[in-house]
Amino acid sequence: MTIEINQISELRKKFDLKLKSINDTKELNDLRVEFLGKKGSVTLLLKSLGKLSPDQRPVFGSAVNNLRLEIETSINKKYEELRLLELDREEKSQRIDVTLPSRSKTYGGVHPVSQVTFEVIEIFKGMGFSVALGPEIEEDFYNFEALNIPPHHPARDMQDTFYFKDGRLLRTHTSPVEVRAMRALGAPIRVIVPGKVYRRDSDPTHSPMFHQLEGLLLDEDISIADLKGCLDVMLDTFFGRQLKKRYRASYFPFTEPSLELDIECVACSGKDPKCRICKGSGWLEISGLGMTHPNVIRAGGIDPERYNGFAWGMGLDRLAMLKYGLNDLRILFDGNLSYLLSGRDC
Ligand code: DAH
């Protein structure tokens, strides 16, 4: 067997030519295998050296070895070049444009009604009230009877009630918790009751589920002036300024006397005859209230001869609407995230 010396130079030429057309490290690796791999052309040439005659071996041996070394060196050099180019390309394709707007994150927010509830609780806490809660599925007794509304009392018509088959109902107001709290805590007592209530009502200003805040204070020698002071302080603190108020005579079976409280319109202060919030009247109804009826105090297990006091019930949704300038109550409950998450503190 013989090796032609030009066989070696042919191989070198072939390699040089192929190397020129290589564009990436993968192609380069294929080229390495083609020439230096187990079955590569240079490897095969090296293997065949053994079959040469002893006088040919040194000459061709060193020539083939040189070829192998040169190819190795060229490949390594090319590899470094290609790697740099590839890194450059990668970097360019993955470059971050810091001027692009970032992806916005949406955070959960506290619902306006919850925010208002927390605020009002804080204000009443400052006046010594604690929070009492009661069941939303209520017994007829607590919702009506204990509140001086007997089965045939016409006041039951005031509230269109959701009844269960077993006679229980979805409470129509937070007032039943007054009686539950009296029975649980006795007198003297100062409680507020925030919570959901239910009525068969649905229009822009009524939702079948809404929120009320009940209040009850019983002690010795309580007067209507205490009641007035308490609600005046709460409303001025909540709205952040001293508002005009008017107390009108009203009727509720569970209070005697009964009143209703209006505040000056927080949107127009009575100056806009076309105001959408107060409909031009200048006043907003904010709460029912009164001196707790002796029958109710008695139903709560407390002696009305010794203790007297007052109660009120106001709409928390209405307070939220006024605070945030809404004219449709339903927006609070229809789950529109873009409204619910917009611009309020978490
Ligand atoms: N429970 C009444 C309602 O839902 C509101 C109310 C009026 C509560 C007078 C009271 C009160 O405690 O004294 O319409």
Side-chain angles (χ1 to χ4, degrees):
M1 141 128 211
T2 56
I3 297 178
E4 299 287 331
I5 201 76
N6 67 345
Q7 216 179 321
I8 295 174
S9 55
E10 282 303 309
L11 213 50
R12 173 174 289 126
K13 262 192 225 150
K14 192 176 158 200
F15 173 78
D16 287 344
L17 204 67
K18 287 202 163 184
L19 187 68
K20 274 194 194 124
S21 65
I22 294 291
N23 290 315
D24 59 41
T25 50
K26 164 141 193 343
E27 284 176 16
L28 185 65
N29 200 41
D30 294 345
L31 188 68
R32 185 199 298 272
V33 172
E34 187 182 335
F35 284 82
L36 304 178
K38 265 192 193 155
K39 290 179 183 158
S41 357
V42 178
T43 316
L44 292 179
L45 214 52
L46 275 169
K47 278 185 185 158
S48 63
L49 282 178
K51 291 176 192 156
L52 289 178
S53 60
D55 54 330
Q56 273 188 321
R57 218 176 281 158
V59 184
F60 285 103
S62 78
V64 178
N65 251 326
N66 279 345
L67 176 65
R68 185 177 60 87
L69 280 177
E70 277 169 27
I71 289 181
E72 253 175 27
T73 316
S74 307
I75 287 181
N76 288 345
K77 197 165 148 238
K78 186 79 177 180
Y79 179 81
E80 288 308 317
E81 283 169 25
L82 288 174
R83 198 58 209 128
L84 281 179
L85 278 175
E86 280 174 7
L87 280 177
D88 201 42
R89 232 180 284 147
E90 255 172 49
E91 204 173 289
K92 280 198 179 110
S93 71
Q94 293 174 4
R95 185 164 288 174
I96 296 167
D97 182 352
V98 291
T99 63
L100 285 174
S102 62
R103 273 188 214 120
S104 66
K105 279 185 185 161
T106 36
Y107 294 98
V110 178
H111 191 278
V113 174
S114 301
Q115 280 194 51
V116 163
T117 307
F118 297 147
E119 254 179 75
V120 171
I121 288 175
E122 276 312 302
I123 299 170
F124 280 112
K125 252 191 189 167
M127 292 190 269
F129 285 81
S130 41
V131 174
L133 299 174
E136 286 170 31
I137 297 175
E138 188 52 286
E139 291 167 31
D140 183 281
F141 173 78
Y142 288 105
N143 198 81
F144 293 124
E145 217 166 312
L147 293 169
N148 207 29
I149 317 174
H152 305 296
H153 196 289
R156 286 201 179 201
D157 297 338
M158 282 161 59
Q159 292 157 350
D160 241 348
T161 311
F162 290 107
Y163 282 98
F164 292 94
K165 283 199 182 100
D166 63 6
R168 289 182 305 162
L169 45 88
L170 288 178
R171 68 181 179 193
T172 57
H173 50 181
T174 41
S175 305
V177 190
E178 285 188 24
V179 183
R180 289 183 175 275
M182 281 189 264
R183 289 184 170 199
L185 304 170
I189 185 172
R190 270 183 216 202
V191 286
I192 48 170
V193 184
K196 291 186 168 68
V197 300
Y198 303 84
R199 289 183 203 173
R200 292 170 179 269
D201 244 346
S202 190
D203 63 43
T205 52
H206 294 94
S207 136
M209 183 282 299
F210 59 104
H211 299 82
Q212 282 191 334
L213 182 100
E214 191 81 14
L216 171 72
L217 183 149
L218 296 180
D219 211 323
E220 292 175 9
D221 297 326
I222 298 298
S223 80
I224 223 165
D226 298 311
L227 166 57
K228 243 177 126 262
C230 193
L231 293 186
D232 285 0
V233 165
M234 178 258 152
L235 289 166
D236 291 349
T237 313
F238 180 77
F239 286 106
R241 67 193 166 94
Q242 206 161 350
L243 296 161
K244 270 192 267 165
K245 301 170 193 75
R246 75 178 182 190
Y247 288 82
R248 285 182 288 112
S250 185
Y251 171 74
F252 299 102
F254 29 91
T255 44
E256 182 59 41
S258 300
L259 303 163
E260 262 170 279
L261 166 59
D262 300 339
I263 57 171
E264 78 180 61
C265 176
V266 290
C268 77
S269 295
K271 291 184 187 111
D272 178 4
K274 290 197 189 115
C275 176
R276 287 198 309 179
I277 305 292
C278 67
K279 313 240 158 45
S281 76
W283 294 102
L284 301 168
E285 260 181 53
I286 220 72
S287 185
L289 51 127
M291 301 306 285
T292 307
H293 197 289
N295 287 350
V296 177
I297 300 180
R298 210 170 285 119
I302 294 168
D303 177 9
E305 298 297 324
R306 179 162 175 212
Y307 291 102
N308 78 326
F310 58 82
W312 75 87
M314 59 176 72
L316 287 168
D317 316 283
R318 187 153 169 79
L319 287 183
M321 286 174 75
L322 295 175
K323 187 119 182 179
Y324 300 115
L326 313 174
N327 49 24
D328 190 336
L329 173 82
R330 291 170 297 193
I331 198 171
L332 292 170
F333 305 125
D334 66 8
N336 179 344
L337 285 185
S338 67
Y339 163 72
L340 290 173
L341 299 179
S342 62
R344 282 187 320 279
D345 296 338
C346 295

Short mmCIF file of all heavy atoms in Angstrom, two decimals, residues 158-159 172-175 178 199 212 214-215 252 254-255 259 288-290 311-314, ligand 1:
data_model
loop_
_atom_site.label_atom_id
_atom_site.label_comp_id
_atom_site.label_asym_id
_atom_site.label_seq_id
_atom_site.Cartn_x
_atom_site.Cartn_y
_atom_site.Cartn_z
N MET A 158 -94.15 46.57 54.69
CA MET A 158 -93.11 47.50 54.26
C MET A 158 -91.95 46.76 53.61
O MET A 158 -91.18 47.31 52.86
CB MET A 158 -92.56 48.29 55.45
CG MET A 158 -93.46 49.44 55.91
SD MET A 158 -93.09 49.97 57.60
CE MET A 158 -91.38 50.44 57.47
N GLN A 159 -91.79 45.52 53.96
CA GLN A 159 -90.63 44.78 53.49
C GLN A 159 -91.04 43.54 52.74
O GLN A 159 -91.74 42.69 53.28
CB GLN A 159 -89.75 44.41 54.69
CG GLN A 159 -89.14 45.65 55.29
CD GLN A 159 -88.75 45.46 56.74
OE1 GLN A 159 -89.10 44.47 57.35
NE2 GLN A 159 -88.04 46.42 57.26
N THR A 172 -84.29 41.02 56.47
CA THR A 172 -84.62 42.18 55.62
C THR A 172 -83.94 43.44 56.13
O THR A 172 -83.98 44.48 55.48
CB THR A 172 -86.14 42.41 55.60
OG1 THR A 172 -86.58 42.59 56.96
CG2 THR A 172 -86.87 41.24 55.00
N HIS A 173 -83.33 43.34 57.31
CA HIS A 173 -82.58 44.47 57.88
C HIS A 173 -81.63 43.93 58.94
O HIS A 173 -81.67 42.73 59.27
CB HIS A 173 -83.52 45.55 58.45
CG HIS A 173 -84.59 45.04 59.37
ND1 HIS A 173 -85.53 45.85 59.96
CD2 HIS A 173 -84.89 43.78 59.83
CE1 HIS A 173 -86.35 45.14 60.73
NE2 HIS A 173 -85.97 43.88 60.65
N THR A 174 -80.74 44.79 59.44
CA THR A 174 -79.80 44.32 60.47
C THR A 174 -80.39 44.47 61.87
O THR A 174 -79.76 44.06 62.85
CB THR A 174 -78.47 45.10 60.37
OG1 THR A 174 -78.75 46.48 60.12
CG2 THR A 174 -77.58 44.56 59.27
N SER A 175 -81.60 45.01 61.96
CA SER A 175 -82.21 45.23 63.27
C SER A 175 -82.34 43.96 64.13
O SER A 175 -82.23 44.05 65.36
CB SER A 175 -83.57 45.91 63.12
OG SER A 175 -83.44 47.10 62.38
N GLU A 178 -79.95 43.54 66.88
CA GLU A 178 -80.11 44.32 68.12
C GLU A 178 -80.56 43.39 69.24
O GLU A 178 -80.01 43.38 70.34
CB GLU A 178 -81.18 45.40 67.94
CG GLU A 178 -80.76 46.59 67.11
CD GLU A 178 -81.82 47.70 67.16
OE1 GLU A 178 -82.60 47.75 68.14
OE2 GLU A 178 -81.87 48.49 66.21
N ARG A 199 -83.92 42.05 50.15
CA ARG A 199 -85.33 42.38 49.88
C ARG A 199 -85.64 42.15 48.40
O ARG A 199 -84.74 42.24 47.57
CB ARG A 199 -85.62 43.85 50.22
CG ARG A 199 -85.60 44.09 51.71
CD ARG A 199 -85.94 45.52 52.05
NE ARG A 199 -85.40 45.82 53.38
CZ ARG A 199 -85.40 47.01 53.94
NH1 ARG A 199 -85.94 48.03 53.31
NH2 ARG A 199 -84.89 47.20 55.13
N GLN A 212 -76.33 47.15 55.34
CA GLN A 212 -76.78 48.13 56.32
C GLN A 212 -75.79 48.21 57.48
O GLN A 212 -75.00 47.28 57.70
CB GLN A 212 -78.13 47.71 56.91
CG GLN A 212 -79.31 48.01 56.00
CD GLN A 212 -80.65 47.82 56.72
OE1 GLN A 212 -80.74 47.05 57.68
NE2 GLN A 212 -81.67 48.52 56.26
N GLU A 214 -76.38 48.83 61.43
CA GLU A 214 -77.30 49.05 62.54
C GLU A 214 -76.49 49.57 63.73
O GLU A 214 -75.29 49.28 63.84
CB GLU A 214 -77.90 47.68 62.93
CG GLU A 214 -79.05 47.76 63.88
CD GLU A 214 -80.35 48.10 63.13
OE1 GLU A 214 -80.37 48.00 61.90
OE2 GLU A 214 -81.32 48.46 63.82
N GLY A 215 -77.13 50.34 64.59
CA GLY A 215 -76.45 50.74 65.81
C GLY A 215 -77.43 50.66 66.97
O GLY A 215 -78.64 50.86 66.79
N PHE A 252 -91.27 53.84 62.84
CA PHE A 252 -90.77 52.45 62.81
C PHE A 252 -91.35 51.76 64.02
O PHE A 252 -91.42 52.37 65.11
CB PHE A 252 -89.23 52.40 62.89
CG PHE A 252 -88.56 53.10 61.74
CD1 PHE A 252 -88.01 54.38 61.91
CD2 PHE A 252 -88.46 52.50 60.49
CE1 PHE A 252 -87.40 55.03 60.86
CE2 PHE A 252 -87.84 53.16 59.44
CZ PHE A 252 -87.31 54.42 59.61
N PHE A 254 -90.16 49.61 65.91
CA PHE A 254 -89.19 49.27 66.97
C PHE A 254 -88.59 50.49 67.67
O PHE A 254 -87.73 50.34 68.53
CB PHE A 254 -88.07 48.38 66.41
CG PHE A 254 -87.78 48.60 64.94
CD1 PHE A 254 -86.84 49.52 64.53
CD2 PHE A 254 -88.49 47.89 63.98
CE1 PHE A 254 -86.60 49.73 63.17
CE2 PHE A 254 -88.26 48.10 62.62
CZ PHE A 254 -87.31 49.01 62.21
N THR A 255 -89.03 51.68 67.29
CA THR A 255 -88.56 52.88 67.98
C THR A 255 -89.73 53.81 68.28
O THR A 255 -90.72 53.84 67.56
CB THR A 255 -87.53 53.65 67.11
OG1 THR A 255 -88.00 53.71 65.77
CG2 THR A 255 -86.16 53.02 67.16
N LEU A 259 -87.47 58.66 63.86
CA LEU A 259 -87.05 59.81 63.06
C LEU A 259 -86.35 59.33 61.79
O LEU A 259 -85.96 58.16 61.70
CB LEU A 259 -86.03 60.66 63.84
CG LEU A 259 -86.47 61.20 65.20
CD1 LEU A 259 -85.26 61.65 66.00
CD2 LEU A 259 -87.42 62.37 65.00
N GLY A 288 -82.56 55.74 59.24
CA GLY A 288 -83.74 55.68 60.10
C GLY A 288 -83.22 55.56 61.52
O GLY A 288 -82.16 54.98 61.74
N LEU A 289 -83.93 56.10 62.48
CA LEU A 289 -83.43 56.07 63.85
C LEU A 289 -84.55 56.34 64.84
O LEU A 289 -85.68 56.67 64.45
CB LEU A 289 -82.34 57.14 64.02
CG LEU A 289 -82.70 58.55 63.55
CD1 LEU A 289 -82.45 59.54 64.65
CD2 LEU A 289 -81.91 58.89 62.31
N GLY A 290 -84.24 56.21 66.09
CA GLY A 290 -85.24 56.53 67.10
C GLY A 290 -84.84 56.01 68.46
O GLY A 290 -83.78 55.39 68.62
N ALA A 311 -81.43 53.58 68.63
CA ALA A 311 -80.95 52.69 67.57
C ALA A 311 -81.07 53.43 66.25
O ALA A 311 -81.83 54.38 66.13
CB ALA A 311 -81.78 51.42 67.54
N TRP A 312 -80.29 52.97 65.31
CA TRP A 312 -80.43 53.51 63.95
C TRP A 312 -80.04 52.44 62.95
O TRP A 312 -79.40 51.44 63.29
CB TRP A 312 -79.53 54.74 63.77
CG TRP A 312 -78.07 54.40 63.62
CD1 TRP A 312 -77.42 54.09 62.47
CD2 TRP A 312 -77.11 54.27 64.66
NE1 TRP A 312 -76.11 53.80 62.73
CE2 TRP A 312 -75.89 53.90 64.07
CE3 TRP A 312 -77.16 54.44 66.07
CZ2 TRP A 312 -74.73 53.69 64.81
CZ3 TRP A 312 -76.00 54.22 66.79
CH2 TRP A 312 -74.80 53.85 66.17
N GLY A 313 -80.46 52.66 61.70
CA GLY A 313 -80.07 51.75 60.63
C GLY A 313 -79.81 52.58 59.38
O GLY A 313 -80.65 53.33 58.95
N MET A 314 -78.59 52.46 58.84
CA MET A 314 -78.28 53.24 57.63
C MET A 314 -77.72 52.34 56.54
O MET A 314 -77.24 51.24 56.81
CB MET A 314 -77.32 54.40 57.95
CG MET A 314 -75.99 54.01 58.52
SD MET A 314 -74.91 55.45 58.75
CE MET A 314 -75.64 56.30 60.12
N1 DAH B 1 -84.52 48.59 60.06
C1 DAH B 1 -84.91 49.78 59.35
C2 DAH B 1 -84.98 49.50 57.88
O1 DAH B 1 -84.35 48.58 57.44
C3 DAH B 1 -83.93 50.89 59.60
C4 DAH B 1 -83.99 51.38 60.99
C5 DAH B 1 -84.83 52.44 61.32
C6 DAH B 1 -83.21 50.81 61.97
C7 DAH B 1 -84.86 52.89 62.61
C8 DAH B 1 -83.27 51.26 63.28
C9 DAH B 1 -84.10 52.33 63.58
O2 DAH B 1 -82.52 50.75 64.27
O3 DAH B 1 -84.15 52.79 64.87
O4 DAH B 1 -85.59 50.23 57.16
#
